[in-house]
Amino acid sequence: MTQTFGASSTTEDVLSGVSLKGKRVLVTGVSAGLGVETARALAAHGAHVVGAARNLEKAEQATTQVRADAARGDGRFELVALDLADLGSVRACADQLNATGLPFDLVIANAGVMATPFGHTKDGFETQFGTNHLGHFVLVNRIAGLMRAGARLVNVSSAGHRFADVDLKDPNFEHTPYDPFIAYGRSKTANILFAVAFDARHRTRGVRATAVHPGGILTELTRYMPAGGIEAMVARINEQAAAEGKPPFQFKTIPQGAATAVWAGVVGAADAVGGHYCEDCHVSPVVPDDQPISLVSAGVRAYALDPVHAEALWAKSEEMVGEKFS
């Protein structure tokens, strides 16, 4: 019997009765928020979790409970260094993982930044596109050979993809006025398109890829927003919701926010989630690009799942990072 999960489901709900003993998982961004809870839930159910983080000292402190729950659940947890804003660090991390030869059953590309001031990664890419997309693009493709048949890639995207499609002519805002949320939207759309293209390339060998929206959660991701910015955004959302006769917006807890990535990586049917976008522990409907959509209503923009668009982003990403991936 298949259990139905939803917006209020937690990581423990979706993993109830599930043993992940013998499974090996990579989770990026395990120094705070969703990454820590994702790693904890998987390790607590027996998985060997490799957590990647830029600041290992911070990650060590943040994952004390992960280690404790891993020990109780017969799982394992270890850390590796990864700075997604530095392709030298990304390649070194991939080399370290490849050197072990140990396969992965699940890769969750969770790390990211949101609404940062205008800036560049070490390699000269706009900060959000470079960190959220290009860093993961290089890492995942470099370790793709470690993903065994039946493995999955889960890219943590956002409803923020609705702010903007990718701009393949000006990805670094060299000719476009910079807007932090437009940049965020571009990077989150890229996360989805990357999953679409990766799924198309690897499904024949039994490896699937999907993208997920965790929901609205108060985490360190909001640290670049101005004082009162979150409150103002919620007020606008609730004003629209009231006009439509809908209940007010409620933030998810971190275990609820991490649930969709865990569900898509472990519980959801591979053919259902592969090449798609998920939210609230289910596959989202596609909303045509010309149809109105609010920040909190369900659905994914059609441009984010367009396979031709996904291939164009793949080619542009290869050009930008100077590497070709099959």
Side-chain angles (χ1 to χ4, degrees):
M1 183 169 151
T2 303
Q3 188 172 349
T4 301
F5 302 106
S8 63
S9 298
T10 67
T11 49
E12 289 302 326
D13 291 334
V14 300
L15 289 177
S16 178
V18 175
S19 172
L20 297 176
K21 188 169 177 58
K23 302 294 185 181
R24 191 162 179 265
V25 182
L26 174 66
V27 181
T28 68
V30 297
S31 61
L34 297 180
V36 173
E37 171 59 18
T38 301
R40 186 208 62 77
L42 296 168
H45 285 260
H48 174 188
V49 178
V50 179
R54 178 181 59 82
N55 186 332
L56 290 182
E57 182 178 350
K58 180 182 178 184
E60 283 279 2
Q61 297 174 353
T63 55
T64 301
Q65 193 62 49
V66 178
R67 297 175 193 279
D69 286 12
R72 279 194 292 271
D74 203 23
R76 291 177 57 195
F77 179 74
E78 63 179 282
L79 285 169
V80 294
L82 171 67
D83 183 351
L84 290 164
D86 177 357
L87 291 185
S89 171
V90 172
R91 288 164 180 144
C93 179
D95 288 347
Q96 180 181 346
L97 296 172
N98 281 319
T100 70
L102 298 173
F104 285 110
D105 299 278
L106 174 61
V107 174
I108 299 183
N110 163 80
V113 293
M114 182 180 78
T116 61
F118 183 62
H120 297 90
T121 67
K122 186 172 182 180
D123 304 277
F125 309 126
E126 184 277 314
T127 299
Q128 297 187 77
F129 190 79
T131 303
N132 297 347
H133 169 58
L134 292 175
H136 279 126
F137 179 77
V138 172
L139 176 70
V140 171
N141 277 311
R142 280 187 161 233
I143 64 169
L146 295 178
M147 298 176 71
R148 56 183 158 201
R152 297 187 193 182
L153 165 66
V154 176
N155 286 343
V156 177
S157 180
S158 169
H161 78 274
R162 302 167 188 170
F163 290 131
D165 191 1
V166 293
D167 186 337
L168 302 184
K169 294 182 179 178
D170 188 25
N172 294 317
F173 286 86
E174 293 171 323
H175 311 290
T176 310
Y178 181 75
D179 179 285
F181 278 102
I182 294 297
Y184 181 66
R186 290 182 182 185
S187 73
K188 294 291 101 178
T189 295
N191 291 154
I192 305 170
L193 291 169
F194 174 34
V196 170
F198 191 89
D199 187 78
R201 280 167 169 74
H202 296 278
R203 69 179 64 160
T204 55
R205 66 182 186 94
V207 174
R208 306 306 302 267
T210 188
V212 303
H213 168 45
I217 312 106
L218 287 173
T219 70
E220 287 188 8
L221 195 66
T222 61
R223 62 186 175 273
Y224 294 106
M225 292 191 68
I230 289 290
E231 292 80 2
M233 182 178 290
V234 171
R236 289 194 300 273
I237 290 170
N238 285 337
E239 186 177 327
Q240 182 177 349
E244 296 173 0
K246 296 178 180 177
F249 169 76
Q250 287 188 316
F251 284 106
K252 288 187 178 186
T253 66
I254 288 177
Q256 290 171 337
T260 300
V262 172
W263 174 84
V266 175
V267 178
D271 286 339
V273 304
H276 292 284
Y277 169 93
C278 308
E279 60 190 328
D280 295 338
C281 300
H282 62 258
V283 176
S284 302
V286 178
V287 179
D289 296 343
D290 60 355
Q291 181 176 318
I293 187 171
S294 77
L295 190 60
V296 294
S297 57
V300 56
R301 281 298 191 194
Y303 59 67
L305 291 175
D306 183 335
V308 175
H309 203 32
E311 288 303 317
L313 172 65
W314 188 288
K316 183 63 177 181
S317 301
E318 288 181 325
E319 175 191 319
M320 292 177 74
V321 303
E323 288 189 71
K324 290 280 190 181
F325 300 109
S326 57

